[in-house]
Amino acid sequence: MAAGEGDLKLLGLLVSPFVVRVRMALSMKGVSYEYIEQDIFNKGELLVRYNPVHKKVPVLIHNGKPVCESLAILEYIDDIWGTTGNSVLPADPYERAIARFWANYIDDKMFPSWIGLLKAETEEEKAEKVNQTLAVLMHLEDAFALCSNGKAFFGGDSVGYLDLALGSNLFWFEALRELFGVAFIDEGRTPLLASWAERFGEAAAVKEMVPSVDKALEHAKKFRAFFAAAAAK
Amino acid sequence: MAAGEGDLKLLGLLVSPFVVRVRMALSMKGVSYEYIEQDIFNKGELLVRYNPVHKKVPVLIHNGKPVCESLAILEYIDDIWGTTGNSVLPADPYERAIARFWANYIDDKMFPSWIGLLKAETEEEKAEKVNQTLAVLMHLEDAFALCSNGKAFFGGDSVGYLDLALGSNLFWFEALRELFGVAFIDEGRTPLLASWAERFGEAAAVKEMVPSVDKALEHAKKFRAFFAAAAAK
């Protein structure tokens, strides 16, 4: 059996950016798989069995063996289906190192900032999270100039690892704009990211995997109720 | 110029596990470089210039271009000096994904737990951090059984990525035992890790890069004073 063959399942949550980026990568590679939606507010047996440490989505299950953590899954997809379609990671070692740096930055700094906005209880907390997210995006604007080298994407001429890492958050920015009236990426402050976001949204393999803003809004409502209940305990 | 040639500098802090693992990897590859110690309590111009986003060590500067974040540096070292000495990352894509998962676990869960012990002010906080660290190490005991497959190291027959990720913390465990009387790795609770830690400490390339426990104790003193001063503000 060739490395890429066999049974492939993905445990996910439709509105999770971490899941969305994995689905985009699998779509880029033209790989088919069984998608199994999880209830993250009431974690089921599959999630506990296949990701016992974190009990988080996404989990990619390849021939019965689980791979957890979205960025590690992107690397795995590239390793297994490397010769199918475009590479996810850059081919150059230095560009790869830089892409890994910024992808970690997105997950460690950007995600906690914007998700913090959904958890914020006071106007002061909200303003703090908005400012944090905006500051992170200013760094990412600079990163785009550095990584893209004048080309269309972080990954050069086509969508790559860092495009997926950041781009999988974009539909949430739309939802946050509706909820809080703040534009995280806009032409005035982050012109490079603004035009990149348009191109990213148009990319064929990516487009079909973007959840609707309504789905995000619906999830945001559940998420805020869940956090409010937890905080009230 | 071949990929691995040219000017190589490392900005570091002798007692940082993140720096120690990079030095161990470079030693494994037999690569020579200029080591430049940084004052992390008073960050200098080099650190701000080469890691403007986080201003943290280690930074590997290869022909003037910086690579930041220790795990990304380990991948870079393997990419650039892949044919010299043993590989850092496993060759098999699945094993590589698992190694990346656990290395992130070490940095995201284990490091904050034990460093939290140095920051803890009350006995209750200390007990909490001790328990967190012990719980994480129980998971890593299981991970060793899974990854080593009955061999000497996480990486199989020789020291690899995950050995470096965890092993670079071991001298700190010695220091914490002196300071707080707690044995984080011991034969009773974590027998696999206990014998692994002995083998790891004996590995030639690794041995010479382990800082003395006294250096760690000295740094712990400065670190606690720094945090106490910050908390008093």
Side-chain angles (χ1 to χ4, degrees):
Chain A
M1 190 164 69
E5 288 177 20
D7 184 56
L8 196 66
K9 292 185 178 70
L10 180 66
L11 307 185
L13 173 79
L14 279 174
V15 294
S16 157
F18 305 104
V19 174
V20 167
R21 61 173 66 148
V22 169
R23 302 192 80 190
M24 286 173 172
L26 289 168
S27 163
M28 276 168 62
K29 296 287 188 183
V31 175
S32 57
Y33 58 94
E34 182 188 351
Y35 176 77
I36 309 170
E37 181 78 355
Q38 302 295 300
D39 179 354
I40 57 154
F41 299 114
N42 183 17
K43 291 173 184 186
E45 185 269 331
L46 275 179
L47 206 50
V48 174
R49 189 194 328 163
Y50 285 108
N51 189 358
V53 176
H54 299 305
K55 302 174 190 70
K56 282 183 180 172
V57 291
V59 183
L60 186 71
I61 308 170
H62 191 194
N63 295 322
K65 297 195 295 183
V67 181
C68 303
E69 300 275 305
S70 70
L71 296 177
I73 295 174
L74 293 187
E75 301 250 10
Y76 181 76
I77 289 170
D78 221 22
D79 279 345
I80 297 288
W81 295 278
T83 52
T84 321
N86 292 319
S87 286
V88 176
L89 273 292
D92 177 77
Y94 186 73
E95 290 176 17
R96 205 147 58 221
I98 297 300
R100 286 182 179 126
F101 173 86
W102 286 112
N104 283 316
Y105 181 73
I106 288 166
D107 287 2
D108 293 347
K109 302 289 178 193
M110 193 189 82
F111 179 76
S113 300
W114 76 246
I115 200 89
L117 187 49
L118 289 180
K119 298 182 197 172
E121 288 173 28
T122 64
E123 289 307 312
E124 199 186 341
E125 277 171 16
K126 277 180 200 164
E128 191 196 328
K129 293 300 164 186
V130 166
N131 289 336
Q132 275 179 10
T133 311
L134 291 172
V136 165
L137 284 164
M138 290 306 290
H139 275 304
L140 289 167
E141 174 84 358
D142 294 342
F144 184 81
L146 184 83
C147 297
S148 67
N149 232 328
K151 292 183 177 168
F153 297 102
F154 282 95
D157 291 321
S158 58
V159 165
Y161 182 72
L162 202 42
D163 297 286
L164 296 175
L166 183 58
S168 53
N169 291 271
L170 290 176
F171 71 102
W172 267 108
F173 289 170
E174 288 299 307
L176 296 171
R177 192 161 56 95
E178 292 212 14
L179 284 170
F180 303 101
V182 58
F184 281 124
I185 292 182
D186 83 348
E187 281 182 29
R189 208 172 25 235
T190 54
L192 296 176
L193 290 183
S195 56
W196 161 81
E198 268 188 42
R199 286 189 296 274
F200 182 79
E202 291 301 315
V206 157
K207 211 171 177 174
E208 61 194 53
M209 290 302 155
V210 181
S212 73
V213 173
D214 282 351
K215 281 275 172 215
L217 291 169
E218 200 181 287
H219 186 78
K221 215 170 157 181
K222 283 192 218 166
F223 187 83
R224 294 170 89 179
F226 180 83
F227 268 92
K233 266 180 195 166
Chain B
M1 190 164 70
E5 287 177 20
D7 184 56
L8 195 66
K9 292 185 177 73
L10 179 68
L11 309 185
L13 173 78
L14 279 175
V15 294
S16 158
F18 306 104
V19 173
V20 168
R21 61 174 67 148
V22 168
R23 302 192 79 190
M24 287 173 171
L26 290 168
S27 165
M28 277 169 62
K29 298 285 188 185
V31 175
S32 57
Y33 58 94
E34 182 189 350
Y35 177 77
I36 310 169
E37 180 78 356
Q38 302 296 300
D39 179 355
I40 57 151
F41 299 114
N42 184 14
K43 292 175 182 182
E45 184 269 330
L46 274 180
L47 205 50
V48 174
R49 190 196 326 161
Y50 285 108
N51 189 359
V53 175
H54 300 305
K55 301 173 190 72
K56 283 184 179 170
V57 290
V59 183
L60 186 72
I61 308 170
H62 191 195
N63 295 322
K65 296 195 295 183
V67 182
C68 303
E69 301 275 306
S70 70
L71 296 178
I73 295 174
L74 293 187
E75 301 250 9
Y76 182 77
I77 288 170
D78 221 22
D79 279 343
I80 296 289
W81 295 278
T83 53
T84 320
N86 292 320
S87 284
V88 176
L89 273 291
D92 176 77
Y94 187 72
E95 289 176 17
R96 205 147 59 222
I98 297 301
R100 286 181 179 128
F101 172 86
W102 286 112
N104 282 317
Y105 181 72
I106 288 165
D107 288 3
D108 293 347
K109 303 288 177 192
M110 193 190 80
F111 178 77
S113 300
W114 77 247
I115 200 88
L117 187 50
L118 289 179
K119 297 182 197 173
E121 288 174 29
T122 65
E123 289 307 313
E124 198 186 341
E125 278 170 14
K126 277 180 200 165
E128 190 195 329
K129 293 300 165 188
V130 167
N131 289 336
Q132 275 177 10
T133 311
L134 291 172
V136 165
L137 284 164
M138 290 306 289
H139 275 304
L140 290 167
E141 174 82 358
D142 295 341
F144 185 81
L146 183 84
C147 295
S148 66
N149 230 327
K151 293 183 175 167
F153 297 102
F154 282 96
D157 291 320
S158 58
V159 166
Y161 182 73
L162 202 42
D163 297 285
L164 297 174
L166 182 58
S168 52
N169 291 270
L170 291 175
F171 73 102
W172 267 107
F173 289 170
E174 288 300 306
L176 296 171
R177 191 161 57 95
E178 293 213 12
L179 284 171
F180 303 101
V182 58
F184 282 124
I185 291 182
D186 84 348
E187 281 181 29
R189 209 172 23 235
T190 55
L192 297 175
L193 288 184
S195 57
W196 161 81
E198 269 187 42
R199 288 189 295 275
F200 182 80
E202 291 302 315
V206 157
K207 211 171 177 173
E208 62 194 53
M209 290 303 157
V210 181
S212 73
V213 173
D214 282 351
K215 280 276 172 214
L217 291 169
E218 199 180 288
H219 186 79
K221 214 170 158 181
K222 280 191 219 167
F223 187 83
R224 293 170 89 179
F226 182 83
F227 269 92
K233 264 179 197 167

